Amino acid sequence: MNIFRLLGDMCHLVAIIILFLKIWRSKSCAGISGKSQVLFALVFTTRYLDLFTSFISVYNTVMKVVFLVLAYATVYLIYLRFRSTYNSESDSFRVEFLLVPVAGLSFLENYAFAPLEILWTFSIYLESVAILPQLFMITKTGEAESITTHYLFFLGLYRALYLANWVWRYHTEGFFDQIAVVSGVVQTIFYCDFFYLYFTKVLRGSGKMTLP
Amino acid sequence: LSPKDVKDEL
C-alpha cells in the first residue's frame, strides 16, 4: 500500500458515493447511464469472486464488499426504484460491442487459463471500457449535470492515481502487471477529453457542462 | 512477482 493507491481507492469510493447520493437525494437518475452502472456491477462481481477463495486484508475485504453493495444498490435505484426517471432512449450504447470483444480477449490474453483467472482478466478489461456508455450518453445529449461531472472527475482521478501507484510500485518493488497496467492506461485515456471539458467548463462556469 | 500479487489491488 502506498499513498497513490490509498488516495486512488478513496477517490473511487467518493465517486461511487457521489453517484449513489445524487440519485438517492434527487430521486432521479436523469443523465445517468444505467448500462455503465450494470457494467461496473459486473466488473466488481467477476473480480471480487476471490472474496470466497483468498483473504488479503481487512481493508481489502471491506472495500470489496462496500464496492459490491454500492454498485448493486445504484443499479437497483436506476432500474427499479427510480425507473421512471431513467433516460433509456439516450442510454443507447450497444454494450454487446464491449462485452463480446472483452470476453474474447480475456480468454486469449490472461495469466492462467483458469475460471477465476479468466473472470479476473475479464473484469480488468471490462472496467477499462465500462464508462463508455456514460460518456456516449453525455456526448449524445450534449450536456451533463455538474454532480455527474464530479462523479466522472473522481472516477478519472482514481484511474490516474492508480497509474501513479504502478509507477511507484515498479520503482520500489519491481512490480509490473501488464494486463492491469495496459488496461489502466487505456481507461485513463478515455477520461482525458472529459478532464479537459471539466476544467474548462465546469470549474470555471457553473451548473451544467455543455458540449461545444 | 507473480500475477497473483496484483490481487491485493481493488
Side-chain angles (χ1 to χ4, degrees):
Chain A
M1 180 65 80
N2 56 66
I3 188 69
F4 304 112
R5 167 68 209 287
L6 184 63
L7 282 175
D9 287 348
M10 290 307 117
C11 284
H12 197 182
L13 186 62
V14 165
I16 293 171
I17 291 173
I18 284 177
L19 183 68
F20 180 83
L21 286 182
K22 169 202 150 60
I23 300 173
W24 180 257
R25 286 191 183 152
S26 67
K27 296 182 172 24
S28 166
C29 58
I32 301 300
S33 167
K35 289 181 178 176
S36 275
Q37 295 311 311
V38 169
L39 292 182
F40 281 126
L42 190 59
V43 163
F44 291 140
T45 307
T46 50
R47 187 175 309 169
Y48 298 159
L49 286 171
D50 64 355
L51 275 171
F52 299 103
T53 60
S54 57
F55 176 79
I56 294 156
S57 65
V58 173
Y59 171 82
N60 189 278
T61 301
V62 170
M63 291 294 278
K64 282 175 174 173
V65 171
V66 168
F67 283 166
L68 275 167
V69 169
L70 282 172
Y72 278 97
T74 303
V75 168
Y76 162 76
L77 291 187
I78 296 172
Y79 285 99
L80 294 166
R81 190 156 180 143
F82 304 127
R83 190 186 181 91
S84 58
T85 63
Y86 170 52
N87 310 129
S88 55
E89 306 79 29
S90 308
D91 195 12
S92 54
F93 193 95
R94 301 278 296 271
V95 288
E96 57 271 34
F97 293 154
L98 297 180
L99 287 172
V100 173
V102 159
L105 194 61
S106 59
F107 273 94
L108 290 172
E109 203 62 49
N110 51 54
Y111 291 130
F113 203 77
L116 272 186
E117 198 63 35
I118 291 170
L119 285 169
W120 176 84
T121 312
F122 171 81
S123 83
I124 296 288
Y125 293 150
L126 184 60
E127 187 186 354
S128 68
V129 294
I131 200 61
L132 290 182
Q134 180 65 63
L135 296 177
F136 177 78
M137 194 174 183
I138 290 173
T139 309
K140 195 178 179 190
T141 59
E143 61 180 33
E145 279 182 55
S146 61
I147 190 88
T148 308
T149 67
H150 299 327
Y151 160 70
L152 286 167
F153 172 74
F154 277 102
L155 213 52
L157 194 55
Y158 141 64
R159 292 318 311 179
L161 284 162
Y162 254 69
L163 293 187
N165 159 55
W166 289 323
V167 171
W168 178 265
R169 290 191 74 174
Y170 180 76
H171 285 290
T172 57
E173 306 166 35
F175 171 91
F176 181 74
D177 180 282
Q178 59 179 36
I179 287 181
V181 170
V182 172
S183 307
V185 169
V186 169
Q187 190 176 354
T188 311
I189 289 170
F190 288 135
Y191 288 90
C192 289
D193 184 43
F194 164 78
F195 275 140
Y196 174 76
L197 289 170
Y198 184 78
F199 285 114
T200 54
K201 300 240 173 198
V202 180
L203 294 186
R204 282 191 204 163
S206 59
K208 288 182 174 180
M209 176 176 85
T210 49
L211 298 183
Chain B
L1 289 165
S2 79
K4 290 269 178 278
D5 294 316
V6 80
K7 268 64 169 184
D8 73 303
E9 296 185 344
L10 298 162

